[in-house]
Structures are given as C-alpha cells and as structure tokens.
Amino acid sequence: MTWFSEHWLVLVLLLGYVAIMAWHAVIGKRGTHGLADYYIGGRRMGGIALGISFFATYSSTNSFVGFSGQAYTYGVPWLLLAPIIVVFSLVAWRWIAPRLRDMTESLDSITIPDFMGLRFQSVTARFAAALIVIFASLLYMTAVFKGAGTLLEAFLDVSYATAIVLVLVIVITYTAVGGFISVVKTDVVQGMIMVVAAVFLFFGTVRASGGIMSFFDVRELTEGSRLFSWNAAMQFPVLLGIIVAGTFKLVVEPRQLSRFYALEDRHAARTGMWTSTLAFLFVYAMLVPIGIYARNIFPTGITDTDTVVPRILAGGLVFHPAIGAFLVLAMIAAAMSSLDSVLLVVASTCERDVVSVIRKPKSEASALLATKAYVVLFAVATAVIALNPPGGIVTLTSFSGSLYAACFFPALVFGLYWNRGNGASVVASFVVGILTLLFWRELPFGEVVHPVFPGVLLSTVVFMLVAWTLPSDQPTPIE
C-alpha cells in the first residue's frame, strides 16, 4: 500500500494512456482490410497526421533521455543537434517524400527492401536490405527499451526488468492489433504530449539550475570550462559524426520513410514537411541544452548520461509530483511512438522481404497473421537483449543510424533520381558501407573522423562505379 500511495498518480495516468492506445488499436483493426492497410495505411493519410507521426516516431526516449542528457559530458557542441535535425527533416520531406510516395505506388512497393528489389530488379538486393533493416532495428529498439526501462526504474521504484516487461506488453498489444493506422493515430496523441513535456522539462530544469543565464555559470564548475570547447569530450569531427549518424536516419530509415508511403498525395507531403519540421525545431531547441543546465543541479557524480533526466524527475526535487508524473508518461509515450513504428517495419520486412521471398504465403490473410506474430517475436527478443544492453542509448542509436546512412543512402537517392543502377551496385554499396563502419577506426586517422562520413562517401562512390560499369535496364524515375 505504501508503494501504491506514492505512485498512484503515475499509474492512473498510465492506465488512461493505455486506454487511449487500446481504442486506437480497435480503430486501426476496423480500418485494416489487407497488407497495404496494415503496413502503410492504404496510402490515404493526411499531411498533418503523418507530419506529427514523423516527428513522434523519431522522438523516442532516445531523445528525451539520451539526447537530453548527453550535453552533460559532450558540452556545448552537442547543441548542434537541434539545427542539424531540422535540416534533415526538411531534406527528407522536400526531396525524398514526393518521389518515394509516387514511385512506390507505381511499383506496388510497401517496404523499403521491396522498393530496392523492385526498383533495381534484384531479389538479392531486396534480401540484403531486409537483413540490414532487421539488424539495425534490433539495435535501435534495444536503445529505446533501455531508455524506457531506466526511466521507469528510477521513477516508479520498480526493477529494471519489471519496467521492460510493462513497456513490452503495452506496445505489443496495440501495434499487433491495429497496425499502421493505429500507430499513426497513437503517434498524433504522443506527439502532442511530447511537445508539452518538452516545455515542462526545459523550463523546470532551467528554474532548478538558476535561470536561463545559469547556462554560462557552468564555466565556473569543476571541469565546466571544458564543456564550452569544440573538443569538449572528443575530437569535434567525431562528435559531429555522432550527431549526423543519429539524425541522418530521418532521410534513410525505413520507419521514417514508411510515413511517405502512406501520404495521400503530394499536397499532403508539403503539409507534412512544415508540420514535422516546426515540431522538431520547437522541441529539440529545448531538449538538447538540458544536460548543460543539469550540471548546476548535479555538478559531479554522473557517469552514465542516460540517468541525467531520470534523476531530474525522481524524488520531487525539481518538479511537483503531478508534473513529474506527466513527464514520465510523456517519455513512456515517446518510447512507444518509436517502438511501435520500428516493430511494424521489422515485422513487415521479415514477412514480406525474407520469409515470403523464400516461401510464398498461401494468402494475404496468412501473411497478415504472420506479420502480427513477428511483431510479438521481435518485441520479446529485443526486450530480452535490453535486459543486458550492449551499449548506451546514444551509442546504439548512432550505430543504427550510421548503418542506415552508409548502406541505404546511395540506393535510395539514386533509385529516386537516376535511371541507372542494378542489384550489383546496391549490394556492393551495402558491403562497402558495412566494412567501412566496422574497420574505419582501425586506420591511423580513424579516431579523427566519425565512420559515418567515409561510410556514406565510399558506398556512394562504389554504387556509381558499379552502376556505370554494368548494364542497367531500370525505368526512368518518376518526375
């Protein structure tokens, strides 16, 4: 009873939130009549909803817990994340969304791997892309589970494993039942919650820190002046690479690109562009400085920056318990908004681009049922990995983003804008991108530049060389 009396408010808010998710699952199930509905909402969704969903899908606990706390050790250079993420949002919506939406409809594509396979007429490219999606998704979901688990462990005073199981059960239920329609409707609610939460979190932390100008007071703390140098925690090109790897995924990651598949037309793409980009600008301008302000609250003693925000929320030292409860709910919502999208992508990829390529399904109904089973399977597998994660939130997110950038950028961009290319060029770019990410740091100068930059450059060069060398008979991209 003592535990319940201390945490009843969070539990009530969480139950209300779960009720909304359950209702959206019912709505999603009613609107789902086939694979296209379950995977991409039947290509009939509006720009405002998808713009918010695009923002909410990216803005998981990786952002509210990982990115917000990272400036505690990375310092002022970490603030570049906010403008860079805005730029990539604009690039994705302006130059990727309209063409991808039209071309995938003409090819009858509903996943990124099958787009690459159909565009370049290569089963091998499709299968290889699917394996990359599955591996990178497991890494990313592990980071999200870690963020949500760390948060609930600190605030609800439950074990880390219990927190992981709680998140697992909720996200499996509405994702498996309602599919893409449920996910987007849920994302809209989650996105609005996150905008309000960012305001509360920023101004509450600033107030506890001593006010807006206390940002500069950090210079006077032990090792505080170091945080204001370009090489605060590492060589600046490496830090810039971490930021780019974590944000470039807006342009190339399947969970983000699936929103473009669902657009009803190009006008919706323009609406989505402004909705999403303004949300990123408003929210991330408040999130990324929090780690700096936290230095005035916790001058020393934090070695894992993933615990900065949970410490701010725990104990009622910074926020009134009611606001703290709302912020915890918001961050759980942030975790859900990413987990549901990634689960849907990895499950649909496994069924459509791996299993169905090897063994054709008996019917669309059986493929849909199998996809729902894969949602459960991958969620459970990732939760198990998250019990003993292989790295921190930013580390896992950065590597996942680097993998998508180095592997998918050439095939995606050239697939949309160039009438050359073939399966060999796609697979060659995958191999070079992966090898560069794995072995770049072994080179004498590998610690100076983050692997994502040479990874994207070399994979792009290889794609072009192979495309020019071997014949290509693909159709001209849609104008």
Side-chain angles (χ1 to χ4, degrees):
M1 287 300 294
T2 302
W3 180 88
F4 182 81
S5 64
E6 292 177 354
H7 303 290
W8 69 271
L9 184 55
V10 176
L11 294 175
V12 169
L13 290 175
L14 189 59
L15 286 173
Y17 173 78
V18 170
I20 295 174
M21 303 304 100
W23 175 241
H24 286 162
V26 172
I27 294 175
K29 190 175 187 302
R30 289 175 180 171
T32 299
H33 306 290
L35 283 178
D37 292 329
Y38 191 80
Y39 288 6
I40 54 173
R43 303 185 198 271
R44 58 178 185 271
M45 308 195 80
I48 293 178
L50 288 173
I52 297 174
S53 179
F54 188 86
F55 155 76
T57 295
Y58 180 88
S59 304
S60 67
T61 46
N62 294 3
S63 302
F64 277 83
V65 176
F67 289 174
S68 293
Q70 197 64 60
Y72 188 91
T73 56
Y74 282 6
V76 172
W78 185 247
L79 272 59
L80 287 173
L81 187 145
I84 289 175
I85 201 171
V86 168
V87 169
F88 281 137
S89 175
L90 284 170
V91 169
W93 281 95
R94 174 62 181 84
W95 285 284
I96 302 297
R99 283 181 178 250
L100 185 65
R101 190 262 174 225
D102 290 347
M103 184 174 284
T104 54
E105 183 178 34
S106 70
L107 294 172
D108 194 26
S109 160
I110 55 178
T111 68
I112 290 299
D114 80 2
F115 164 71
M116 293 182 182
L118 293 168
R119 168 64 181 85
F120 297 104
Q121 300 180 12
S122 171
V123 174
T124 302
R126 178 179 179 176
F127 192 79
L131 294 181
I132 292 170
V133 169
I134 292 170
F135 179 71
S137 296
L138 287 173
L139 288 179
Y140 182 82
M141 287 192 294
T142 299
V144 178
F145 267 116
K146 182 179 187 295
T150 301
L151 184 69
L152 285 178
E153 179 186 26
F155 202 84
L156 283 182
D157 193 26
V158 297
S159 70
Y160 178 73
T162 300
I164 292 292
V165 171
L166 180 62
V167 174
L168 172 70
V169 171
I170 296 172
V171 76
I172 280 179
T173 302
Y174 76 84
T175 305
V177 172
F180 191 87
I181 296 172
S182 170
V183 165
V184 171
K185 287 183 176 296
T186 299
D187 283 350
V188 172
V189 175
Q190 291 162 334
M192 292 187 292
I193 290 174
M194 282 187 275
V195 170
V196 177
V199 174
F200 279 133
L201 183 61
F202 175 74
F203 285 104
T205 304
V206 166
R207 178 179 53 80
S209 175
I212 289 288
M213 299 309 295
S214 67
F215 182 92
F216 300 100
D217 295 341
V218 174
R219 289 179 181 272
E220 308 304 320
L221 301 175
T222 303
E223 296 189 359
S225 60
R226 173 184 60 82
L227 299 176
F228 286 76
S229 68
W230 285 109
N231 301 316
M234 62 193 71
Q235 293 290 326
F236 178 69
V238 177
L239 176 63
L240 183 61
I242 293 173
I243 293 174
V244 170
T247 55
F248 196 81
K249 61 178 62 180
L250 291 174
V251 180
V252 294
E253 190 171 16
R255 69 184 170 113
Q256 303 294 147
L257 299 178
S258 63
R259 272 67 195 150
F260 303 155
Y261 279 66
L263 289 164
E264 58 184 353
D265 52 35
R266 288 200 170 204
H267 175 73
R270 288 192 294 272
T271 303
M273 176 179 69
W274 291 115
T275 302
S276 170
T277 303
L278 289 173
F280 276 119
L281 177 62
F282 182 76
V283 170
Y284 281 80
M286 290 183 286
L287 290 184
V288 292
I290 284 173
I292 298 289
Y293 285 106
R295 276 281 181 173
N296 289 318
I297 305 172
F298 312 110
T300 59
I302 295 181
T303 56
D304 181 1
T305 57
D306 292 346
T307 66
V308 170
V309 170
R311 286 198 188 196
I312 291 173
L313 296 181
L317 298 176
V318 176
F319 294 100
H320 184 277
I323 295 178
F326 170 76
L327 289 174
V328 171
L329 174 67
M331 292 178 198
I332 296 304
M336 304 293 185
S337 67
S338 290
L339 283 174
D340 56 19
S341 298
V342 182
L343 275 174
L344 195 57
V345 164
V346 73
S348 59
T349 296
C350 183
E351 167 58 27
R352 183 173 176 84
D353 303 308
V354 177
V355 176
S356 293
V357 168
I358 298 172
R359 173 180 54 82
K360 294 292 183 184
K362 295 180 180 179
S363 66
E364 186 169 290
S366 66
L368 184 58
L369 182 62
T371 303
K372 294 180 179 183
Y374 291 133
V375 168
V376 177
L377 175 65
F378 282 110
V380 172
T382 310
V384 171
I385 296 172
L387 293 175
N388 187 23
I393 291 175
V394 173
T395 300
L396 293 171
T397 302
S398 177
F399 186 79
S400 171
S402 296
L403 194 60
Y404 280 126
C407 294
F408 283 6
F409 178 75
L412 179 66
V413 173
F414 288 126
L416 295 175
Y417 282 92
W418 197 30
N419 62 356
R420 295 192 62 86
N422 44 60
S425 61
V426 174
V427 174
S429 68
F430 288 172
V431 172
V432 170
I434 292 171
L435 290 177
T436 304
L437 292 179
L438 291 177
F439 297 108
W440 177 258
R441 294 192 186 278
E442 303 301 321
L443 299 175
F445 44 83
E447 295 297 325
V448 179
V449 178
H450 191 279
V452 71
F453 296 119
V456 172
L457 176 62
L458 293 176
S459 65
T460 300
V461 170
V462 167
F463 182 99
M464 295 175 67
L465 290 175
V466 176
W468 272 321
T469 303
L470 298 179
S472 175
D473 56 358
Q474 280 72 46
T476 302
I478 293 174
E479 296 297 336

